[in-house]
Amino acid sequence: MTSHTPITSQRVPRAYRGAILHALSQNELAYFADGLLVVDSEGLVVACGPWAELKDTLHGVAITQCEPHQLIVPGFVDTHVHLPQMAVAGCQAPSLLEWLDTHIFAEEARFADADYARTVSEWFLTELLANGTTLANVFLTSHPGASQIAFETAARLGNRVIMGQTLMDRQAPDSLLRPADQLLRETESLCRQWHGANGGRIQYAWVPRFALTSSEELMSGLGELRRQHPTVYLHTHLSEQLGEIAVVKAQFPWATDYTQVYERFGLLGSRTILAHGIHLCDDELVRLKGLDASLAHCPSSNFFLKSGRFRLMDVLRRQLRLGLGSDVGAGPELFLLTVMKDAQYMQSDTLVPLATLFYLATLGGAEALHQGHRLGNFESGKEADFVVLDLPATPVSLYKSPVQSPGDSEALLSRLVYQGHQHWISETYIRGQRVYQRAAIVQD
Ligand code: GUN
Ligand code: ZN
């Protein structure tokens, strides 16, 4: 056991006592049935461990006692999600390209209206917190005005996000398109204003939607921006459906595969986040690994659009940076525990270890977004992003259980993954500050 330096009340405004679960690595969890999470006045984790070991290090520190049915976990990380698709989540279509044409482009066009953009931005960013998501990598629309509104709203609500204007200069309705040079100017101006804003909670990403809506001029301009701003992210879609890939082949006949389209323009590297990557061949995976690019696995969306089965175990074995994404609105909901369950069900012939699923939704997601050094679990010195969950056999459970549930950490995590419900989120904290509290439930 490591020794802990005494904790004084000046440095420590709060300690949380209760059951605590967090991931130490892809295969290793730490669980304390009676644990303590100590957070200093800056919102940083001072210590996390068993109550019995830490209690003597507390001197005059205010302790919040969690209920016996509650569990503290790190905030969830959503590595791929679309803010402007909230209102059309769950609207089905036969394929990705038909879904974009039928539901998505028309909805995104509504963001030309600032009032509409403000309403949905506030709704989406509040819902992220209500779902326990404390870091999200977010697509916006192609409107600079609506993008500005989304950033202002995130700053006001305290969200931790990576976001960027979605860039399209072809193959979408005219109202969503702009010339490449204008897009490059607009997105760079938003980046200068927002990258690193709100104490580093807000980061910027270049967001070409996908190869089919991007001209070569747009992509080479973005390659140049990546070189000029090495800490800015690049977020796009890659290799999601076979029909999409066939059109990419026809439009970029010089490319040997989809990955090479982005590679040619210098869009791939560290801090590139690629959603889906379902139909990648071995060679593409090797190149992505070599470039240190990250993948966002979005199983709920892949089920919904019937996109195919992601090679989860293969990608894990190859040790690519990997996180989970809700991909709302192709994914029907923001709640990451449901996405964990879908990631399990998608692997029809392999049982994915629960620890790995939990890691992907927390620390793995943070590492995929290059924030694992400061987020993702309760290591001392990290920023205290966490969620307090109400577990079943409570007033908000799915079924009002008359009996005590099994208590070991494996059973607990299993029930979280297979039965977890958004209403179990009781409170959400970002850097030690409460940013969401569920309204009290009135019982009859
Ligand atoms: N490919 C291009 N645009 C989109 C989108 O909005 N959602 C998904 N799932 N895939 C895309
Ligand atoms: Zn998407």
Side-chain angles (χ1 to χ4, degrees):
M1 218 277 335
T2 50
S3 66
H4 299 278
T5 44
I7 295 156
T8 67
S9 55
Q10 272 136 342
R11 242 195 106 210
V12 185
R14 216 78 262 133
Y16 300 83
R17 182 179 179 187
I20 300 174
L21 178 71
H22 68 145
L24 302 179
S25 69
Q26 187 182 308
N27 308 307
E28 199 184 348
L29 299 176
Y31 176 66
F32 312 110
D34 182 10
L36 193 71
L37 173 64
V38 188
V39 181
D40 76 8
S41 57
E42 299 294 312
L44 304 181
V45 175
V46 176
C48 178
W51 162 257
E53 285 178 18
L54 292 174
K55 67 177 192 309
D56 294 335
T57 63
L58 298 171
H59 301 291
V61 173
I63 298 174
T64 300
Q65 174 75 54
C66 293
E67 302 290 330
H69 63 265
Q70 291 187 314
L71 175 70
I72 297 174
V73 298
F76 299 119
V77 179
D78 190 339
T79 60
H80 177 67
V81 60
H82 297 250
L83 176 150
Q85 296 179 9
M86 269 300 271
V88 287
C91 296
Q92 75 166 38
S95 70
L96 165 65
L97 299 182
E98 289 163 284
W99 174 76
L100 289 172
D101 284 339
T102 312
H103 301 293
I104 298 305
F105 290 145
E107 176 62 18
E108 294 192 6
R110 298 178 75 184
F111 283 69
D113 174 353
D115 286 339
Y116 189 74
R118 194 166 293 109
T119 301
V120 179
S121 293
E122 181 148 348
W123 175 35
F124 171 87
L125 291 162
T126 304
E127 279 298 319
L128 278 184
L129 303 175
N131 279 274
T133 299
T134 52
L135 171 61
N137 186 31
V138 185
F139 261 64
L140 301 175
T141 65
S142 53
H143 312 92
S147 302
Q148 175 73 12
I149 287 168
F151 279 107
E152 285 168 4
T153 311
R156 179 164 53 79
L157 296 177
N159 297 86
R160 204 187 277 287
V161 281
I162 301 165
M163 306 202 288
Q165 178 189 11
T166 293
L167 309 170
M168 293 190 275
D169 67 343
R170 61 175 195 166
Q171 292 206 60
D174 284 348
S175 61
L176 292 174
L177 299 180
R178 286 179 162 58
D181 58 342
Q182 186 181 339
L183 287 172
L184 293 166
R185 277 197 308 276
E186 288 170 353
T187 197
E188 190 176 17
S189 156
L190 282 162
C191 175
R192 287 191 191 283
Q193 188 179 354
W194 290 106
H195 188 54
N198 206 17
R201 286 182 185 202
I202 294 177
Q203 307 277 320
Y204 200 79
W206 316 119
V207 187
R209 182 174 212 116
F210 66 154
L212 296 182
T213 49
S214 306
S215 68
E216 299 198 0
E217 184 191 350
L218 177 63
M219 289 190 279
S220 60
L222 289 172
E224 184 52 36
L225 283 179
R226 273 196 81 236
R227 283 186 284 280
Q228 287 169 16
H229 303 268
T231 62
V232 175
Y233 293 84
L234 188 133
H235 183 192
T236 189
H237 297 93
L238 172 68
S239 203
E240 182 176 0
Q241 287 207 345
L242 294 175
E244 168 207 14
I245 294 165
V247 185
V248 170
K249 272 210 169 85
Q251 267 183 23
F252 302 92
W254 47 262
T256 49
D257 50 46
Y258 198 157
T259 300
Q260 205 189 42
V261 175
Y262 297 143
E263 227 170 354
R264 163 79 60 98
F265 298 104
L267 304 189
L268 302 182
S270 273
R271 293 180 180 248
T272 297
I273 322 297
L274 301 157
H276 306 299
I278 297 173
H279 304 285
L280 298 171
C281 65
D282 287 352
D283 191 54
E284 287 175 287
L285 285 172
V286 168
R287 276 148 51 211
L288 291 173
K289 167 74 183 159
L291 288 160
D292 193 35
S294 304
L295 288 176
H297 173 35
C298 309
S300 314
S301 157
N302 302 159
F303 276 135
F304 183 77
L305 290 175
K306 300 196 185 298
S307 301
R309 188 169 75 93
F310 182 71
R311 295 156 63 181
L312 177 60
M313 301 316 282
D314 190 17
V315 170
L316 286 168
R317 208 168 24 250
R318 292 168 185 265
Q319 298 191 317
L320 274 87
R321 292 181 186 265
L322 177 69
L324 295 178
S326 68
D327 196 22
V328 157
E333 54 180 284
L334 292 171
F335 191 48
L336 261 293
L337 284 170
T338 306
V339 177
M340 288 163 72
K341 176 173 67 180
D342 285 342
Q344 177 68 278
Y345 287 159
M346 178 150 283
Q347 303 307 311
S348 46
D349 50 7
T350 316
L351 192 66
V352 185
L354 290 166
T356 301
L357 293 172
F358 189 75
Y359 160 82
L360 289 173
T362 55
L363 181 60
E367 289 171 351
L369 300 180
H370 291 260
Q371 302 204 31
H373 59 288
R374 64 174 184 144
L375 301 172
N377 65 9
F378 300 136
E379 262 174 43
S380 301
K382 286 195 177 181
E383 302 186 30
D385 288 8
F386 61 98
V387 174
V388 182
L389 288 156
D390 284 317
L391 297 177
T394 73
V396 291
S397 75
L398 215 44
Y399 309 109
K400 290 181 184 171
S401 170
V403 295
Q404 197 65 28
S405 311
D408 70 82
S409 63
E410 185 77 4
L412 186 95
L413 181 53
S414 193
R415 285 159 67 242
L416 271 187
V417 170
Y418 292 106
Q419 297 190 303
H421 193 281
Q422 188 247 314
H423 290 124
W424 295 7
I425 306 285
S426 174
E427 294 174 25
T428 304
Y429 291 78
I430 290 182
R431 203 173 162 137
Q433 285 174 320
R434 191 165 61 203
V435 286
Y436 169 77
Q437 182 171 32
R438 193 186 54 231
I441 293 189
V442 181
Q443 282 205 284
D444 44 37

